[in-house]
Amino acid sequence: MPQASPRGTYLQVSESLRQKIEAGEITEALPSQAALMGAYDVSRSTIERALAALKADGVIESVQGAGWFVVGTGDRRPLVERVTDLLRGGEVKVGDRFPTERELCERFGASRTAVRSAIAQMEGQGLIGKGAGRGREVLTLPTGRETQTA
């Protein structure tokens, strides 16, 4: 982003994001704040102001633990429920390696903090735990509403 007007930089970012949404380049979840900071080469506060401006205009909405979404789109369930769905989907079985924090961040477009919170909840429910080495493994598969306690 050109830095000609520091006060207006967030408006330039918000306008760029608005254009991407209108053009269909962003159709559901927005990239993470960290990704936006890198893409626009601006600070977190600039990104936060840009997102707040789009939210005020009714273009996007924030979902705690899930990120920012174009209004009317996306999976609004808490991140822990969406991550637990990985275990329900039949992709993994007991004893398999569980995806890393980085893999989950990329897959769900969520912050590392949100992913760590979801992992902690799943560990607390006994679904996943420390595996051999530094990774995590699937300890048991969900049977019902394990994620509803969060």
Side-chain angles (χ1 to χ4, degrees):
M1 274 282 112
Q3 298 295 322
S5 171
R7 290 179 151 204
T9 303
Y10 81 94
L11 293 173
Q12 294 172 13
V13 172
S14 68
E15 187 56 32
S16 173
L17 290 170
R18 182 188 313 272
Q19 290 173 0
K20 288 180 179 187
I21 291 167
E22 289 172 356
E25 294 175 43
I26 299 175
T27 58
E28 192 172 303
L30 275 70
S32 69
Q33 287 188 14
L36 292 171
M37 287 167 52
Y40 289 100
D41 193 27
V42 296
S43 69
R44 182 171 302 278
S45 63
T46 299
I47 293 300
E48 289 171 347
R49 289 183 71 190
L51 295 173
L54 290 171
K55 181 179 179 181
D57 290 344
V59 176
I60 63 173
E61 60 187 340
S62 173
V63 177
Q64 187 172 2
W68 290 89
F69 291 86
V70 175
V71 167
T73 65
D75 187 346
R76 302 301 194 271
R77 294 176 303 144
L79 182 61
V80 66
E81 288 185 30
R82 295 185 291 140
V83 174
T84 302
D85 280 351
L86 293 176
L87 304 181
R88 286 190 183 102
E91 296 178 36
V92 297
K93 60 185 182 296
V94 173
D96 283 355
R97 180 187 77 79
F98 191 73
T100 65
E101 288 177 4
R102 170 181 242 148
E103 291 168 341
L104 293 171
C105 287
E106 291 173 6
R107 182 169 185 162
F108 293 100
S111 70
R112 190 167 295 260
T113 302
V115 166
R116 285 180 178 162
S117 175
I119 287 172
Q121 290 176 55
M122 293 175 73
E123 286 177 335
Q125 295 163 4
L127 296 174
I128 60 175
K130 297 288 182 190
R134 295 179 52 171
R136 291 179 178 86
E137 69 179 39
V138 178
L139 299 178
T140 187
L141 297 176
T143 56
R145 302 201 166 268
E146 289 84 354
T147 61
Q148 300 301 315
T149 61

